[in-house]
Amino acid sequence: MTGISDRDFGELHFDEAWTGLCEVFIFGRLCEVELIVQTFDGDSISDIQRLAFREFDSNKASISLAVEKAIFNYYLCRIEEYREGFDADEVDIKAPKVHAIDGMRDLVSLRCIKVMSPFDAGVRQIGFIFDANFDPQLGLGVLVTNGSVETVDTQDILLG
């Protein structure tokens, strides 16, 4: 395992991916989670990835609020579908009806932040990967592109 001290990302270790730690305040909690900087075939971390992370780091509070809001709206649009997947004795625990963003606090937990490898020139992307009580198999992924939430879906959109 290779380790470096990076000017943007801090301490990183390489073991098939560059990983480190990142602090984020989200859903009323300060979370220290894994930071993954996605690279392929031994490529180095790109300038676009550095820019994406700096943008995220400088705007953590507003980006985190946007992610919270996007998750809440996503959940509200699919709540009945999620509730159908649970027995009567667990539905109100695993997929309760929530009426405010704070209601999501016990339903999702941030697992990691991923600085995505750029596929399109100039596109800066950060992924938030969550475990979700209402979807324990597929969890939840939020893709932030150029500082704004682009997509909320299962984790699959950010894995790989």
Side-chain angles (χ1 to χ4, degrees):
M1 185 183 313
T2 304
I4 61 168
S5 182
D6 186 87
R7 70 181 186 273
D8 293 311
F9 300 102
E11 296 297 317
L12 291 176
H13 301 280
F14 189 83
D15 188 12
E16 297 184 33
W18 287 107
T19 61
L21 293 174
C22 182
E23 280 190 350
V24 181
F25 188 81
I26 194 157
F27 291 113
R29 289 187 291 254
L30 182 62
C31 305
E32 185 176 65
V33 296
E34 182 178 41
L35 172 68
I36 299 171
V37 184
Q38 181 183 42
T39 57
F40 295 105
D41 301 325
D43 289 344
S44 59
I45 297 169
S46 73
D47 289 339
I48 292 293
Q49 287 175 298
R50 290 183 182 287
L51 188 58
F53 186 75
R54 283 185 214 132
E55 178 180 65
F56 163 68
D57 202 41
S58 297
N59 300 298
K60 273 186 190 176
S62 62
I63 291 172
S64 294
L65 287 172
V67 167
E68 290 175 1
K69 188 175 186 177
I71 288 173
F72 176 66
N73 290 332
Y74 177 87
Y75 181 71
L76 288 182
C77 289
R78 289 161 181 77
I79 191 167
E80 293 309 319
E81 175 187 335
Y82 287 129
R83 289 177 64 82
E84 288 173 5
F86 296 104
D87 295 331
D89 61 330
E90 61 183 358
V91 69
D92 289 328
I93 296 166
K94 299 282 188 175
K97 294 185 178 182
V98 296
H99 305 287
I101 291 173
D102 287 349
M104 299 303 298
R105 180 176 300 153
D106 296 328
L107 298 179
V108 296
S109 62
L110 183 60
R111 201 172 83 200
C112 71
I113 302 287
K114 186 173 187 179
V115 181
M116 308 299 288
S117 186
F119 290 107
D120 297 318
V123 176
R124 303 172 312 280
Q125 295 183 313
I126 302 284
F128 289 69
I129 300 174
F130 292 86
D131 288 329
N133 290 355
F134 50 87
D135 196 342
Q137 289 183 319
L138 299 177
L140 203 57
V142 180
L143 181 63
V144 175
T145 300
N146 298 335
S148 299
V149 173
E150 179 181 332
T151 307
V152 180
D153 209 332
T154 61
Q155 293 175 1
D156 298 17
I157 63 168
L158 302 174
L159 302 176

